[in-house]
Amino acid sequence: MSLHLTQSWSSAPHGTKGSFHFRLGNLGTTPVNVARFCYTSLGRIDETSVVTGGKVARNFGSYVEIIPDQAILPALGVWELRLSGLIYGAANRSQGVITAWVETDSGDILTVTTEDLLTEDDLPRGAGKIWPEGHAESPLGLLPWPAEARIDGWCETLPRLYPTPTSDPRPFLQVARLHARLFPTAPTVMGLQPATGGTAVELRQDETIPAEGYRLTFGDRIILTHGCDDGRRHGLIALAQMAHAAGTDPRYRFPASGEIADAPRFGWRGLMFDVARNFFPVSVNLRLMDIMAWLRMNRLHWHLTDDEGWRIPSKAYPELGTIGATRARGAPMPPQYGDGPNGQSGAYSANDIATVLKHGRDLGIFVMPEVEMPGHAASLLASVPGLRDPDEPECSYRSVQGFTNNALNPGIAKSYEVAETLLDEARALFPGDIIHVGADEVDISAWAQSPAAQDFARKHGLTTTHELQAHFLRHVQAHLKAKGRRIGVWDEAAEGGGIAADSAVMFAWRTKEKTAELIEKGYDVVATPGQAYYLDMVESEGWDARGISWAGVSTPEASYAHEVSDGLPDGPGRLLGVQAAIWCEYLHDVERINAIAFPRLAAVAESAWTPPAEKSAPRFFALSRLVPQL
C-alpha cells in the first residue's frame, strides 16, 4: 500500500488566508477504502471555511478529520480536497500538512507520505537558511562579548588551565564538565592538575565587583577576581570559551597579557522553552541549560502546560498526567503538529523536575514554571470535570491556535479552586519567587455565550472578556502574593483593568510600544519581542523559509540588531531584561530547533549581556559558529 499526498496553497479567495488544495494518490495495486482522511497542519480552517471533496468530522487545534465524498480510492486513483477560506494561511513550505494518515472502514490505519507545500501563486522561493559568515575582528574567542577587553599579547601555544593550590578546585571541575558535555570530542581546556605548558588560575574575591561580574588579569598566571559565585562561574566559563576557540579554530588565540573586566547588562537573561506543544525528555532540557550557561543566560522560563499538553505532575488531579499529557487518535486530546495517529505522551515527574532544578542551581539558572490560565487550557478542561458551563454552546469561540472553548470560565467557582490547587502544587515543586500563569491569547469572544460567565459579569460590574480575565487574574495574583510569590504573566494581563504592579512581572511579547506602556503603568517588564526574539519565526524571506510567520521575518541580523530599550520611558516600572523563546508548534524535534534557533539564540544572549556600544555584528557572526547546539 502506498498513499502519497501532494499539497499546494493559493492566496485566493481574497479577503481570507487563502486555500489548500490536497491530492491524495493511491500508488498501490489495490483499491483503498478511505473512511477518514486525518492530518495535522499549521494552516487552519474553521466553521466558515468551504470544504470541497469531503466533510469535516473534527477540527481541533492543528488536527483535522475529513470524511471524503469518495469512499473508494482505486489503484493509481486520486482524491482531491480543497479547503477554501483558511483562518491561518501559509507563508512558506513548512506551513501545510505536517503528518497525514487514512482510516479505513475496518479500523486500519494507513500512513500517508507527504511533500513540501507548494504555492500556486508566483512567489519567490528565497534563500532558505541565512547565517552570515562574519569576520573575526579579534583573536579573542568570547561570546557574549565582554564589557571591557584590553589584550596586549597572545599565547604561542594553547595553555591547559588549572587552579592554584590556594583556589577551590570544585568550580573548575564544574566548568570542565560543562565543556566536556557540550564538546565531547574537543580537547580538554581545564583540569585540576598542573600540566606542561599550562597556566594556573588564581581565584580572588572582591565584593566591589558588580553583580555577576568578573575581572580576568592575564600574565604568568591568570587572576580571576569575582564578587560572588555567579561571577566566578562566568569568569571560568569565559576562560573555557577562549581556550576552546583557540584550540578548535585557527582564527582565535588565548590571551597572554592584558585584562578583561566584565559584568552583564541585564539581570534577567532568559529563554522560554515550550515543552507543552511538543514534549522533550529531561536530557534535552539539561543540554539546553548547558548551552544557556555557556552563553551566560540565567533564566529558564519552562512552558509546562498549554492546550496541547500538560507536563507538570498533579496529585490533586492525576488525570492531567494521563489524559492531559496524552494525544492520540480516539483520545480526548487528538494528535497535533508533527504527531502521527499514535500521537505522543509525556509528562515530568517530581523527580524529573528536581533534576532540572538541581542542574539549574549548579549552573546559576533560575527555573520559572508556567502553568497556563485562564486560556490555553484545552488539556486541563479535557482532564478535570466540572470546569465547563453546560449551557455554553460547543464551538462558541475558537482560539487563534484553533481550539474551541479552551479557557477556564471565571463564572464557575471550581475554576478558582482548581487554579489555586494547581498553583499550590507548582509552588511546592518550584522554590523560586515567580510562578508564571500565562494569561495570553484568550479569544475576544470567550465566555460571551456562557450564561454562567455573563451572570457573574453582571454581578461584578464587568462587561468585556478582558475585564472578566482581569478579575480572574487578580484573584490568582492575590492567592500567590499571600503565599509569598510573585505572578508572572504575558502582557495581555494588563488589559481590562489589569493586575497590581507591586507583585507582578510582565513579559512583553507583542510590540515595543506595549513594553513602554507597561513600564509607564509601573510594571516590571521582561522584553521578549516576537518580531525579534521568538526563535520559531522564519529567518528569511521566500517560500523555502521554515517556521512560523505571524510576527514577520526575523533574520539573524535583525535579531542581533534589535535594541529593546529604544523609546522606553524612565519609569516608574523597570526593564528587568530580555528573553528569547523557543515555541514548539513547528519545532517538534531537536533537529528542527537546531536548524532555526541558531545563531539567533546567541544573538539574544549577547544583547542581554553586552553593552550596546560594544556589540559588533561581523564579530558576532564569526563567533556564533562556535556555539554548541542541542
Side-chain angles (χ1 to χ4, degrees):
M1 199 71 64
S2 180
L3 298 175
H4 186 76
L5 184 76
T6 61
Q7 51 176 330
S8 60
W9 173 84
S10 168
S11 60
H14 299 294
T16 73
K17 300 295 184 180
S19 304
F20 280 146
H21 180 198
F22 300 150
R23 301 178 81 250
L24 178 65
N26 177 8
L27 305 182
T29 58
T30 58
V32 176
N33 179 283
V34 184
R36 291 175 187 262
F37 171 68
C38 307
Y39 72 88
T40 65
S41 174
L42 295 175
R44 301 187 184 100
I45 59 174
D46 70 359
E47 292 71 23
T48 67
S49 303
V50 177
V51 180
T52 305
K55 179 182 178 181
V56 177
R58 191 175 187 188
N59 174 24
F60 194 64
S62 63
Y63 174 75
V64 179
E65 287 181 15
I66 301 288
I67 299 175
D69 58 9
Q70 177 183 336
I72 301 299
L73 184 57
L76 301 181
V78 174
W79 166 63
E80 297 195 39
L81 176 69
R82 290 185 180 271
L83 306 174
S84 181
L86 305 175
I87 61 168
Y88 194 98
N92 61 58
R93 64 186 175 91
S94 67
Q95 294 178 354
V97 168
I98 305 173
T99 55
W101 62 93
V102 160
E103 297 184 10
T104 69
D105 58 358
S106 60
D108 292 333
I109 304 298
L110 305 178
T111 299
V112 175
T113 57
T114 64
E115 297 178 8
D116 278 352
L117 182 68
L118 302 177
T119 174
E120 296 175 11
D121 297 2
D122 186 18
L123 299 178
R125 294 190 62 175
K129 178 74 177 181
I130 296 175
W131 192 325
E133 189 66 30
H135 172 66
E137 299 173 339
S138 163
L140 188 66
L142 191 53
L143 193 159
W145 194 255
E148 300 177 38
R150 177 187 55 79
I151 307 301
D152 303 319
W154 304 94
C155 294
E156 293 298 325
T157 58
L158 176 64
R160 180 186 173 101
L161 307 173
Y162 62 92
T164 61
T166 59
S167 298
D168 186 350
R170 290 171 295 182
F172 289 80
L173 180 59
Q174 184 184 61
V175 172
R177 287 172 172 170
L178 171 65
H179 175 260
R181 291 195 301 270
L182 291 172
F183 304 100
T185 63
T188 299
V189 298
M190 186 175 290
L192 299 187
Q193 296 296 323
T196 302
T199 299
V201 180
E202 179 182 344
L203 301 179
R204 294 182 183 176
Q205 188 162 10
D206 180 350
E207 295 181 356
T208 66
I209 297 287
E212 297 191 72
Y214 63 91
R215 184 171 63 246
L216 292 168
T217 305
F218 297 91
D220 292 340
R221 67 172 54 188
I222 299 169
I223 300 173
L224 194 171
T225 308
H226 59 92
C228 63
D229 290 351
D230 287 335
R232 179 183 63 197
R233 184 189 315 103
H234 295 322
L236 288 172
I237 289 175
L239 288 171
Q241 266 195 349
M242 290 182 282
H244 176 80
T248 58
D249 191 316
R251 296 174 296 176
Y252 301 103
R253 300 169 69 185
F254 194 83
S257 59
E259 185 172 277
I260 292 173
D262 201 10
R265 178 188 181 192
F266 290 119
W268 190 291
R269 306 180 302 280
L271 172 64
M272 193 286 316
F273 187 37
D274 168 20
V275 295
R277 266 61 178 274
N278 282 292
F279 182 75
F280 289 86
V282 169
S283 58
V284 172
N285 290 274
L286 299 184
R287 181 165 177 87
L288 183 62
M289 295 169 80
D290 283 347
I291 296 170
M292 291 174 63
W294 193 249
L295 294 171
R296 262 84 84 207
M297 304 178 85
N298 66 348
R299 298 288 189 273
L300 175 64
H301 175 170
W302 211 11
H303 188 80
L304 289 163
T305 76
D306 213 301
D307 290 308
E308 298 89 342
W310 193 274
R311 313 302 184 187
I312 184 172
S314 173
K315 294 179 180 178
Y317 309 107
E319 296 84 359
L320 287 167
T322 53
I323 295 173
T326 300
R327 306 194 300 244
R329 166 179 161 268
M333 297 296 299
Q336 300 288 328
Y337 305 122
D339 295 342
N342 294 327
Q344 63 169 267
S345 181
Y348 303 109
S349 67
N351 286 338
D352 290 335
I353 291 172
T355 297
V356 170
L357 290 176
K358 181 183 183 304
H359 201 66
R361 287 193 300 273
D362 290 345
L363 298 174
I365 297 173
F366 162 73
V367 181
M368 176 186 67
E370 181 175 355
V371 182
E372 276 269 11
M373 57 183 71
H376 287 280
S379 59
L380 171 60
L381 295 172
S383 305
V384 180
L387 293 175
R388 297 186 183 274
D389 179 354
D391 298 320
E392 182 179 38
E394 291 291 333
C395 303
S396 63
Y397 62 91
R398 185 181 289 273
S399 75
V400 68
Q401 282 82 18
F403 291 91
T404 56
N405 297 29
N406 71 328
L408 281 173
N409 193 319
I412 295 177
K414 189 172 181 179
S415 294
Y416 301 90
E417 172 193 331
V418 170
E420 290 180 3
T421 300
L422 292 172
L423 293 174
D424 286 344
E425 289 185 323
R427 285 193 306 106
L429 290 167
F430 292 88
D433 68 324
I434 305 174
I435 304 291
H436 202 295
V437 304
D440 64 315
E441 295 185 323
V442 172
D443 187 78
I444 193 65
S445 58
W447 314 308
Q449 297 182 53
S450 163
Q454 293 307 306
D455 288 347
F456 183 87
R458 283 188 291 271
K459 179 181 177 182
H460 291 85
L462 309 171
T463 58
T464 67
T465 294
H466 287 150
E467 289 177 356
L468 275 166
Q469 171 168 284
H471 180 94
F472 175 87
L473 292 174
R474 286 192 292 269
H475 180 99
V476 168
Q477 181 182 29
H479 177 78
L480 287 172
K481 186 176 181 180
K483 302 296 177 69
R485 302 295 182 92
R486 288 189 290 168
I487 187 173
V489 280
W490 299 108
D491 58 49
E492 290 97 322
E495 298 171 355
I499 60 176
D502 63 343
S503 62
V505 177
M506 289 279 179
F507 290 73
W509 64 279
R510 289 183 288 182
T511 63
K512 272 187 180 178
E513 291 76 17
K514 181 61 65 176
T515 304
E517 176 187 323
L518 295 172
I519 290 174
E520 286 178 342
K521 289 182 177 180
Y523 290 109
D524 287 345
V525 180
V526 174
T528 177
Q531 67 272 25
Y533 289 177
Y534 274 25
L535 306 183
D536 59 325
M537 289 297 119
V538 289
E539 55 185 341
S540 63
E541 299 278 2
W543 192 255
D544 281 346
R546 296 165 294 185
I548 311 295
S549 56
W550 62 261
V553 176
S554 177
T555 65
E557 295 98 326
S559 290
Y560 185 76
H562 187 85
E563 177 46 55
V564 295
S565 65
D566 286 346
L568 297 187
D570 292 334
R574 299 173 297 165
L575 180 63
L576 302 181
V578 300
Q579 182 167 287
I582 298 177
W583 294 103
C584 290
E585 291 103 321
Y586 168 69
L587 305 179
H588 56 255
D589 54 38
V590 165
E591 289 75 20
R592 289 185 179 221
I593 295 175
N594 283 338
I596 197 170
F598 297 92
R600 292 182 296 174
L601 175 59
V604 180
E606 183 149 299
S607 294
W609 182 279
T610 305
E614 298 302 318
K615 291 175 63 178
S616 163
R619 182 190 64 222
F620 165 77
F621 285 113
L623 283 166
S624 67
R625 295 179 178 276
L626 299 176
V627 173
Q629 299 185 6
L630 287 174

